[in-house]
């Protein structure tokens, strides 16, 4: 089971609260959190063609 420090939990919560759509990836090595990655998704809709 991973050993989670309070400072790591705060960083994880901050990452989750900052994004509306995306992902948060937590990397663990030897039971310790070693890396936190967050990716935010931005999608743009293509305008519909205008019929003449």
């Amino acid at each position: 089971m991973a050993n989670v420090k309070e400072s790591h939990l705060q960083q994880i919560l901050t990452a989750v609260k900052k994004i509306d759509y995306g992902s948060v990836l937590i990397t663990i090595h030897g039971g310790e959190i070693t890396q936190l990655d967050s990716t935010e998704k931005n999608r743009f809709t293509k305008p519909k063609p205008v019929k003449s």
Side-chain angles (χ1 to χ4, degrees), residues 4-14 33 36:
V4 182
K5 297 177 183 175
E6 183 64 31
S7 62
H8 293 161
L9 286 176
Q10 290 303 318
Q11 289 181 342
I12 293 166
L13 286 173
T14 299
I33 295 175
L36 175 67

Side-chain angles (χ1 to χ4, degrees), residues 8 11-12 24-29 32-38:
H8 293 161
Q11 289 181 342
I12 293 166
V24 175
L25 173 67
I26 303 163
T27 304
I28 301 170
H29 287 283
E32 296 285 331
I33 295 175
T34 58
Q35 187 169 324
L36 175 67
D37 297 302
S38 61

